[in-house]
């Protein structure tokens, strides 16, 4: 039984005790911790949210960040390194070596997407039943083995098959890690962690350019081409991190047995989630699914993420690199100049996160609207195409800053669905899955390889998608405010 003890209004703290029956963790007998019900806010919180917390909570969050954020960010860095490596390899010799002169790159992307889509929702549902410290590292090991096999592919068909299973193995990672982050962090901490995690994708994109430039020099070593070494190096980096996950990953607060967390840490973790109104793990029943599908949550949040995911990144096509190649730049320039865009995307990801948690006081919609407005401007410019060369560079570089709002959309979903753990897991997985369902076919229509580098259909479509994302964000804001008001009225009654 959880007991509540509200302290004075000056301290704004709550004491919560957990026994071994309610905590879901037999390592806890009877622990109590003190955490601020309303987190203290000074100028220091604008720098980093832990600076205004108690020493005990600060130490706890330091350990939590060191493990969860490190594992999540490294894992996602490698996943995006792999995704970008396919494009980098394509423009750095794979196309010519394997004779991929049609729309094979589109089909390679689609094969991965189909595998990814199939696995996402089942994987997140499994996370509510199996320990994440077993499931996620297991998928990581499988992914690493499949990735290194790409170096041995000799035909497009072999690549299609491997990319499908790589997508399947990867499907549980991003939505799964977002679910885990939402199970440990409070509202004033959530956007920063989600966005730091997501920013590793842009860092992976940025690093890929330098990696391909380096591995290009390994041409012929061991009988492999430079582009094949990309996949070998990727697997070598990822496998040790996957294995470490079995020993370090903390699961979720109510079932964690992580050796690096004390009993006091675990009690504090559970208490923090009680204060946030986050529900513990339960069961999927007919009533659960009825509640999920009768709510506006799943429909609007999924729609928001579809518009986000398909409105940035040029349909996974290396649009910037292909334009540079068409302009006569060499392999090194083609692979390194796009890293400028990735670096800018990382910077804006952090700006979105810090501004949302501080300046906008937890509101997620302002950065989303801003990103949509930038997408409209840059894509409209590229659709015109005959624009000043400097602004074309600017449009490509600024055109990817919208990728940084992914963490905010998931933070918003965790807060909206926080009082039902199963809904939260299902909705966050559905957001990612259905976004990739659209990504499986939309690029085949508007981002065709044969249209490069002047993807007129693609750029025009992005303008309308960005406008739709803005409208959806305002709709969610209205519906959420109305729902919160009704809950408050009901509680008062």
């Amino acid at each position: 039984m959880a007991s509540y003890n509200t302290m004075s209004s000056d301290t704004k703290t709550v004491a919560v005790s957990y026994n071994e029956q309610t905590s879901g963790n037999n390592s806890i007998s009877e622990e109590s911790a003190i955490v601020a019900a309303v987190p203290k806010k000074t100028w220091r919180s604008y720098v980093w949210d832990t600076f205004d917390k108690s020493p005990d909570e600060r130490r706890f969050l330091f350990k939590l960040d060191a493990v969860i954020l490190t594992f999540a960010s490294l894992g996602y860095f490698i996943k995006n390194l792999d995704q970008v490596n396919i494009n980098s390899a394509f423009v750095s010799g794979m196309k010519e070596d394997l004779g991929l002169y049609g729309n094979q790159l589109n089909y390679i992307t689609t094969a991965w997407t189909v595998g990814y889509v199939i696995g996402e929702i089942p994987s997140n549902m499994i996370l509510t039943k199996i320990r994440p410290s077993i499931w996620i590292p297991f998928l990581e090991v499988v992914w690493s083995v499949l990735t290194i096999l790409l170096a041995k592919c000799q035909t497009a068909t072999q690549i299609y098959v491997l990319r499908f299973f790589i997508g399947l193995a990867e499907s549980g990672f991003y939505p799964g890690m977002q679910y885990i982050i939402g199970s440990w962090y409070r509202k004033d901490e959530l956007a920063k962690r989600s966005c730091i995690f997501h920013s590793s994708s842009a860092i992976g994109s940025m690093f890929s350019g330098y990696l391909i430039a380096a591995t290009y020099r390994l041409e012929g070593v061991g009988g492999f081409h430079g582009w094949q070494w990309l996949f070998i190096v990727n697997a070598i980096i990822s496998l040790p991190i996957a294995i470490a996950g079995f020993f370090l990953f903390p699961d979720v607060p109510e079932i964690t047995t992580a050796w690096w967390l004390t009993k006091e840490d675990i009690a504090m973790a559970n208490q923090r989630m009680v204060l946030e109104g986050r529900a513990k793990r339960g069961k999927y029943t007919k009533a659960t699914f009825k509640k999920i599908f009768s709510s506006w949550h799943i429909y609007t949040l999924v729609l928001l993420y579809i518009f986000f995911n398909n409105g940035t990144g040029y349909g996974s096509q290396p649009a910037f690199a292909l334009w540079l190649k068409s302009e006569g730049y060499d392999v090194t320039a083609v692979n390194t100049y796009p890293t400028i865009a990735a670096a800018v995307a990382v910077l804006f990801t952090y700006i979105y996160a810090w501004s949302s948690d501080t300046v906008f006081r937890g509101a997620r919609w302002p950065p989303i609207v801003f990103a949509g407005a930038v997408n409209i401007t840059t894509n409209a410019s590229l659709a015109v195409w005959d624009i000043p060369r400097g602004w074309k560079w600017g449009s490509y570089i600024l055109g990817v800053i919208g990728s940084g709002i992914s963490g905010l959309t998931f933070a918003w979903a965790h807060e909206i669905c926080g009082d039902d753990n199963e809904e939260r897991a299902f909705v966050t997985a559905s957001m990612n899955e259905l976004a990739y369902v659209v990504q499986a076919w939309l690029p085949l229509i508007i981002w065709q390889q044969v249209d490069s580098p002047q993807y007129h259909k693609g750029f025009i479509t992005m303008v309308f998608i960005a406008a739709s994302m803005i409208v959806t964000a305002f709709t969610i804001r209205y519906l959420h405010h109305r729902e919160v008001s009704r809950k408050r009225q009901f509680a008062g009654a």
Side-chain angles (χ1 to χ4, degrees):
M1 172 83 61
S3 62
Y4 302 85
N5 176 26
T6 302
M7 310 295 286
S8 71
S9 60
D10 292 330
T11 56
K12 289 188 175 67
T13 58
V14 178
V16 182
S17 298
Y18 292 88
N19 59 36
E20 60 188 40
Q21 282 76 34
T22 61
S23 68
N25 188 315
N26 293 332
S27 66
I28 306 172
S29 55
E30 188 74 30
E31 299 292 343
S32 180
I34 302 294
V35 179
V38 179
K40 181 182 177 182
K41 290 282 188 180
T42 70
W43 66 268
R44 297 187 303 174
S45 295
Y46 282 69
V47 179
W48 189 244
D49 47 61
T50 65
F51 290 164
D52 282 327
K53 299 185 187 295
S54 69
D56 287 342
E57 192 172 8
R58 199 156 55 237
R59 282 191 292 269
F60 162 72
L61 284 169
F62 175 80
K63 291 190 287 185
L64 199 64
D65 289 339
V67 175
I68 291 182
L69 280 187
T70 299
F71 181 82
S73 297
L74 285 176
Y76 198 45
F77 164 82
I78 294 166
K79 300 297 175 299
N80 279 272
L81 185 62
D82 167 72
Q83 291 183 38
V84 177
N85 279 350
I86 281 288
N87 292 331
S88 297
F90 185 82
V91 299
S92 303
M94 185 174 75
K95 174 181 177 179
E96 292 77 12
D97 291 337
L98 301 185
L100 309 178
Y101 292 105
N103 278 326
Q104 288 93 339
L105 182 59
N106 295 97
Y107 302 144
I108 289 169
T109 301
T110 299
W112 177 89
T113 302
V114 170
Y116 193 78
V117 164
I118 290 174
E120 283 191 271
I121 291 179
S123 180
N124 249 33
M125 293 177 70
I126 288 171
L127 278 180
T128 67
K129 304 303 174 188
I130 296 178
R131 286 187 176 274
S133 60
I134 295 174
W135 180 244
I136 291 180
F138 166 74
L139 292 177
E140 292 291 275
V141 170
V142 172
W143 184 91
S144 300
V145 173
L146 294 174
T147 296
I148 202 169
L149 293 177
L150 283 171
K152 298 295 292 181
C153 288
Q154 299 297 319
T155 67
T157 301
Q158 292 172 348
I159 298 177
Y160 299 155
V161 172
L162 273 179
R163 291 302 291 177
F164 169 81
F165 285 105
I166 287 171
L168 192 64
E170 186 174 335
S171 63
F173 188 81
Y174 187 76
M177 289 309 309
Q178 288 287 6
Y179 165 74
I180 297 300
I181 289 172
S183 298
W184 287 93
Y185 292 102
R186 301 187 68 180
K187 181 173 182 175
D188 65 310
E189 307 155 353
L190 193 53
K192 287 189 284 293
R193 271 70 177 189
S194 291
C195 286
I196 288 172
F197 165 47
H198 182 77
S199 71
S200 58
S201 65
I203 295 174
S205 301
M206 183 169 56
F207 184 75
S208 176
Y210 298 101
L211 181 62
I212 186 66
T215 55
Y216 192 71
R217 300 173 185 173
L218 295 175
E219 179 71 30
V221 176
F224 293 104
H225 294 293
W227 62 265
Q228 291 173 307
W229 274 105
L230 273 176
F231 304 118
I232 297 172
V233 171
N234 217 22
I236 290 172
I237 295 172
S238 64
L239 193 57
I241 297 171
I243 294 173
F246 287 110
F247 304 98
L248 293 173
F249 207 64
D251 297 314
V252 293
E254 64 264 30
I255 62 167
T256 185
T257 56
W259 58 269
W260 47 271
L261 289 175
T262 65
K263 292 181 179 180
E264 293 77 12
D265 289 336
I266 296 171
M268 182 181 294
N270 281 281
Q271 175 187 344
R272 283 159 44 88
M273 292 301 98
V274 168
L275 292 171
E276 290 299 301
R278 303 263 169 83
K280 295 183 179 181
R281 304 198 328 170
K283 296 181 179 180
Y284 280 103
T285 63
K286 289 183 179 180
T288 302
F289 287 108
K290 182 178 180 180
K291 178 190 175 186
I292 291 172
F293 288 105
S294 61
S295 169
W296 60 266
H297 298 170
I298 190 167
Y299 303 106
T300 56
L301 289 168
V302 164
L303 197 60
L304 179 70
Y305 203 75
I306 287 174
F307 291 139
F308 153 73
N309 192 70
N310 290 275
T312 188
Y314 309 117
S316 297
Q317 297 300 302
F320 193 7
L322 288 172
W323 174 66
L324 291 171
K325 189 172 184 178
S326 72
E327 293 289 307
Y329 289 89
D330 61 24
V331 170
T332 300
V334 166
N335 285 286
T336 54
Y337 284 155
T339 64
I340 299 171
V344 173
V346 171
L347 174 63
F348 272 87
T349 299
Y350 297 148
I351 291 173
Y352 297 149
W354 262 257
S355 63
S356 177
D357 275 350
T358 57
V359 176
F360 297 120
R361 300 182 180 182
R364 310 308 183 192
W365 64 268
I368 295 174
V369 171
F370 172 80
V374 172
N375 284 348
I376 290 173
T377 303
T378 56
N379 283 290
S381 299
L382 291 171
V384 173
W385 194 252
D386 292 326
I387 57 177
R389 186 180 182 85
W391 179 235
K392 186 170 287 188
W393 274 81
S395 295
Y396 277 120
I397 291 171
L398 295 176
V400 296
I401 67 173
S403 64
I405 63 172
S406 178
L408 293 185
T409 62
F410 277 97
W412 212 359
H414 290 311
E415 292 154 10
I416 291 171
C417 305
D419 60 356
D420 189 319
N421 180 75
E422 281 58 51
E423 180 190 30
R424 186 165 63 85
F426 192 89
V427 168
T428 52
S430 299
M431 289 165 62
N432 217 41
E433 170 161 331
L434 292 175
Y436 278 96
V437 167
V438 176
Q439 187 174 306
W441 57 266
L442 185 61
L444 297 176
I445 300 172
I446 65 172
W447 296 109
Q448 292 186 347
Q449 180 184 324
V450 293
D451 292 334
S452 69
Q454 191 174 349
Y455 295 103
H456 185 72
K457 289 182 293 186
F459 296 135
I460 287 291
T461 305
M462 293 304 99
V463 171
F464 288 98
I465 288 178
S468 299
M469 182 177 73
I470 292 173
V471 172
T472 305
F474 280 121
T475 302
I476 293 173
R477 176 180 180 271
Y478 167 75
L479 292 173
H480 189 213
H481 282 199
R482 186 181 67 175
E483 182 176 87
V484 170
S485 296
R486 287 178 176 176
K487 287 181 178 179
R488 286 173 179 168
Q489 291 174 1
F490 180 78

